[in-house]
Amino acid sequence: MRLFGKKIKPSQNAFAVVTGAGSGIGRSFALELAKRGGTVVCSDIDLDAAKETVALIEELGAKAFAVKCDVGNAKQVEKLAEQAEQLMQHPTTLVINNAGVGLGGKFDEMTLDDWKWVANVNLWGVVHGCHYFVPKFKQLGRGAIINVASAASYTAAPEMTAYNVTKAGVRALSETLSAELRKHNIKVNVLCPTLVPTNIIKNGKVPHKGLLDYALTNLAFTTSDKVAKLTLDRLDKDQLYTIPQIDAKLFWLMKRTAPNLYAKFLGTSYRLMK
Ligand SMILES: NC(=O)c1ccc[n+]([C@@H]2O[C@H](COP(=O)([O-])OP(=O)(O)OC[C@H]3O[C@@H](n4cnc5c(N)ncnc54)[C@H](O)[C@@H]3O)[C@@H](O)[C@H]2O)c1
């Protein structure tokens, strides 16, 4: 990305909005952006959590603002886009559509309300973020978007149908926008991690919570801080995908090179595990 002939990195000195910034990966993004000279609007459905992130950023000597926003509510996201500009006294240059919730369980045991709940946050939340920020970026003549999907967008792990569908949607949205917005000087990156130790299991609707939370805390190959740093670096290098961990990369390779074999492997592993 160039401004007056100078190459600029979207993660440096950004005027950024991060959704779901009160915890986990969102908080790590907000802190890393502040370390890179940015001003950050930390939005979350949980205002107190967003305020905690702001306090951590202020300790670093950077500027941040807490805003309550439910990403599933279009009107609130529209307001967030307006408010961000006023608070930062500068147009937003980067939006990170990160807020998300976890949902697990067998397909036939999931209610339609469960589907609507997870789709409203994980998919519509990202659609709302892109919908209200893209016109502003076009007007500014530049901008950047990071959408937080998941390796679940391609792994198709059983007992995660609705979550997988929302994340596949986020990946497709990001891939399409990357192509469509390139001519407007708007960069897109989509983050697709496997396990990252955060509060997603504690906050989500998932069976075997204790076991899954143990796996998340003890078996993850990375941390939310490392994931945030890597994703911002990938954005700066104009890369569409961030696939942080070795297992995420392996599944990505298997799925693309041998999709039918991968589906059989998945079905057999699931049957054996049960
Ligand atoms: N942790 C993982 O293993 C993992 C793996 C792949 C992808 N992800 C994705 O990373 C993103 C961040 O999740 P996390 O792991 O940091 O979880 P987390 O639970 O630690 O943080 C999620 C944050 O989003 C906020 N939030 C929830 N619903 C919201 C809403 N409707 N509007 C605004 N904010 C809302 C929560 O209050 C919380 O602060 C999610 O999109 C998640 O799907 C996580």
Side-chain angles (χ1 to χ4, degrees):
M1 190 180 292
R2 287 182 179 273
L3 191 66
F4 306 122
K6 250 181 84 183
K7 206 166 188 189
I8 56 165
K9 292 181 175 176
S11 83
Q12 304 290 328
N13 306 312
F15 290 88
V17 174
V18 182
T19 69
S23 172
I25 298 172
R27 175 170 286 176
S28 293
F29 269 126
L31 285 164
E32 184 59 26
L33 284 164
K35 286 179 194 161
R36 294 180 188 211
T39 302
V40 192
V41 171
C42 301
S43 84
D44 203 290
I45 197 168
D46 179 345
L47 183 60
D48 288 339
K51 282 181 179 167
E52 279 173 26
T53 306
V54 167
L56 292 171
I57 290 178
E58 285 171 348
E59 276 173 29
L60 297 172
K63 249 194 196 167
F65 306 92
V67 175
K68 184 179 168 81
C69 174
D70 174 355
V71 295
N73 182 318
K75 285 266 164 268
Q76 290 187 24
V77 181
E78 183 179 22
K79 197 170 156 207
L80 171 68
E82 295 306 323
Q83 238 178 320
E85 210 165 310
Q86 288 160 13
L87 288 167
M88 296 192 285
Q89 296 181 326
H90 193 283
T92 304
T93 60
L94 166 65
V95 63
I96 304 190
N97 294 305
N98 159 79
V101 287
L103 174 68
K106 292 197 176 83
F107 174 73
D108 46 333
E109 289 171 6
M110 229 173 256
T111 67
L112 290 179
D113 281 343
D114 288 336
W115 271 88
K116 285 174 190 162
W117 173 70
V118 73
N120 198 43
V121 183
N122 290 9
L123 180 56
W124 278 104
V126 179
V127 173
H128 293 153
C130 294
H131 181 79
Y132 289 112
F133 282 94
V134 165
K136 290 185 176 295
F137 292 157
K138 279 190 179 175
Q139 208 176 4
L140 184 67
R142 70 179 176 108
I145 302 169
I146 292 174
N147 289 332
V148 179
S150 166
S153 68
Y154 55 85
T155 51
E159 297 194 19
M160 290 175 55
T161 353
Y163 184 83
N164 293 346
V165 168
T166 63
K167 295 301 185 178
V170 171
R171 186 159 59 80
L173 170 71
S174 311
E175 289 165 341
T176 313
L177 287 184
S178 166
E180 192 173 319
L181 299 177
R182 181 157 288 274
K183 70 172 180 169
H184 296 285
N185 206 15
I186 302 169
K187 301 277 186 290
V188 180
N189 185 277
V190 58
L191 168 61
C192 301
T194 46
L195 299 182
V196 185
T198 67
N199 292 314
I200 194 161
I201 299 292
K202 282 188 207 112
N203 291 340
K205 293 186 194 173
V206 286
H208 323 297
K209 251 191 184 189
L211 192 69
L212 282 174
D213 197 42
Y214 178 86
L216 195 71
T217 315
N218 296 288
L219 304 180
F221 294 125
T222 190
T223 64
S224 59
D225 288 350
K226 284 187 190 163
V227 167
K229 273 186 205 152
L230 176 71
T231 311
L232 292 170
D233 290 344
R234 301 269 305 161
L235 176 74
D236 286 349
K237 287 181 188 147
D238 196 11
Q239 299 294 309
L240 169 58
Y241 300 101
T242 303
I243 299 181
Q245 306 101 321
I246 183 78
D247 53 346
K249 289 187 211 297
L250 192 66
F251 286 129
W252 180 234
L253 184 73
M254 282 163 69
K255 181 74 186 277
R256 283 180 306 148
T257 50
N260 286 307
L261 191 65
Y262 175 77
K264 282 181 193 155
F265 154 79
L266 208 59
T268 307
S269 330
Y270 177 60
R271 186 165 48 82
L272 293 175
M273 266 166 60
K274 288 276 148 183

